[in-house]
Amino acid sequence: MALRLDGRKLADELAKRLQNEISISSAQAGRPPGLAVIRVGDDEASGVYVSNKEKACKRIGIKSFGVHYPENIPSEELIRKIQELNANENVDGILLQLPLPKDIDPGPLLMSIDPDKDADGLHTLNLGRLLKGERGPRSCTPAGVMALLVSNQIPIAGKRAVVIGRSILVGQPMALMLQSANATVTIAHSRTPNLVEVTRQADLLVVAAGQPKMIGAEHVKPGAVVIDVGIHRLLSQELGRPVGKFKLCGDVRSEELSNIASAITPVPGGVGPMTVSMLLVNTVSRWQEHCGLSFNLVDLLP
Ligand code: NDP
């Protein structure tokens, strides 16, 4: 039976560790860590993600500086807000919740976030730091996957890893992190021929294709570790169930893998909670640096 890689449990453990870091150092810092989440428009899923992030901040003692704008806000006004948050000494992390409404180009907005306060680790400078192995905020989802692997003592060095997906948000930084942990990494994408042939070579398969249930038994080598990054809200009927509203599923047909994979992440409860955890790790580690505190989270920034 495949080991269930429990992201909720690890996220709870990390929350306690971060809460402890904050409570022992807030007096010395003179203030708690601060995170500003900027939300634009009324995308329902984004609303849930932002609310989860703010609740997670509150639980561990990070102060929220969240703002919510209507979808017709001009980009110039968003840039002005980001600049104001860049200059605010009580804010250690800034996150622009994606996706933005279709008429707003995220590129210039993401670039206007001070790289030193880039809570999502997506600024060009921070992606460059990841590439060069320099310290900096890390992309939250792949960093969360690394933490999940390490805490479950899944060996990475010397293993053959395949990452499906080459987005800047997940696939590319995931591949870099696995490579720097000494895996031999292949990236597959929508133009990869014979995907099954590629994925069956993986000791460690990370699926971030954004395609509900695309990976099943035929893609997985016996004994492989499978990380399902995908998250989809499907109507119950689409999953073959008669009634009900939405049900979450991933990119993997995990029910087919329980006797094939050696370990697998559930959806929900696998990678999702770890993404939020790493946002907190990025924020607290920036706070430690901004306030001249000792830097104790280096093991969580791959
Ligand atoms: P993108 O749509 O930006 O990227 C998807 C990638 O998968 C692309 O590189 C694409 O290839 C590749 N791809 C798509 N279809 C196939 C296919 N049939 N075969 C092989 N490769 C394919 O998605 P993201 O990277 O942003 O997100 C991926 C998934 O992860 C989504 O389901 C998203 O919701 C989820 N996600 C989950 C998070 C969490 O916290 N759990 C956080 C972030 C994302 P190409 O480049 O050729 O188009």
Side-chain angles (χ1 to χ4, degrees), residues 49 141 164-171 187-192 195 207-212 214-215 228-232 249-251 270-276:
Y49 294 143
T141 301
I164 308 182
R166 55 176 165 179
S167 72
I168 293 297
L169 185 63
V170 187
I187 299 185
H189 46 76
S190 67
R191 309 287 185 89
T192 301
L195 186 65
V207 189
Q211 304 291 333
M214 72 171 273
I215 295 297
D228 188 357
V229 178
I231 184 145
H232 311 277
C249 79
D251 286 357
V271 176
M274 294 308 302
T275 299
V276 178

Side-chain angles (χ1 to χ4, degrees), residues 29 33 42 87 122 141-142 199 265 287:
D42 287 313
L122 292 179
T141 301
T199 58
T265 53
W287 171 71

